[in-house]
Amino acid sequence: MVFNPHTSDILICGSSEDIWRMSLDEGKFLTPFQSDASEVNAIDYNPYLNIAMTAGNDGILETWDYRERKKVTKVIADKGQ
């Protein structure tokens, strides 16, 4: 779980392909980011670039541009092995 101070959103990942976004300003869940990984189990946020990075159990690393609310890179680090 990470906090985005620019939008007051909390990003939450777990044992699914969804990266849940909760708006603290609006008090509700927003449309989640959809990962290509079957399970996203790590997330971090860079406040200087306003990007989030996720890692999945199948070796998929993804970068999410929070300004555009979409995935900008995907790397398969170890082909799930």
Side-chain angles (χ1 to χ4, degrees):
M1 179 169 52
V2 294
F3 176 68
N4 180 338
H6 300 291
T7 59
S8 295
D9 290 356
I10 294 176
L11 300 169
I12 305 161
C13 66
S15 60
S16 77
E17 68 275 358
D18 292 325
I19 299 134
W20 296 97
R21 301 184 305 134
M22 181 175 186
S23 171
L24 297 180
D25 285 337
E26 299 177 32
K28 67 178 184 178
F29 281 99
L30 305 172
T31 304
F33 292 147
Q34 192 76 34
S35 174
D36 291 335
S38 60
E39 293 181 13
V40 178
N41 44 20
I43 188 167
D44 202 2
Y45 176 75
N46 183 319
Y48 300 105
L49 300 176
N50 200 20
I51 60 171
M53 295 195 70
T54 58
N57 65 335
D58 28 5
I60 296 177
L61 306 171
E62 296 170 310
T63 305
W64 305 86
D65 186 337
Y66 221 89
R67 294 165 295 189
E68 297 184 29
R69 310 278 195 291
K70 68 177 189 175
K71 181 177 9 182
V72 291
T73 62
K74 173 184 163 185
V75 175
I76 301 175
D78 65 358
K79 298 183 183 163
Q81 308 201 11

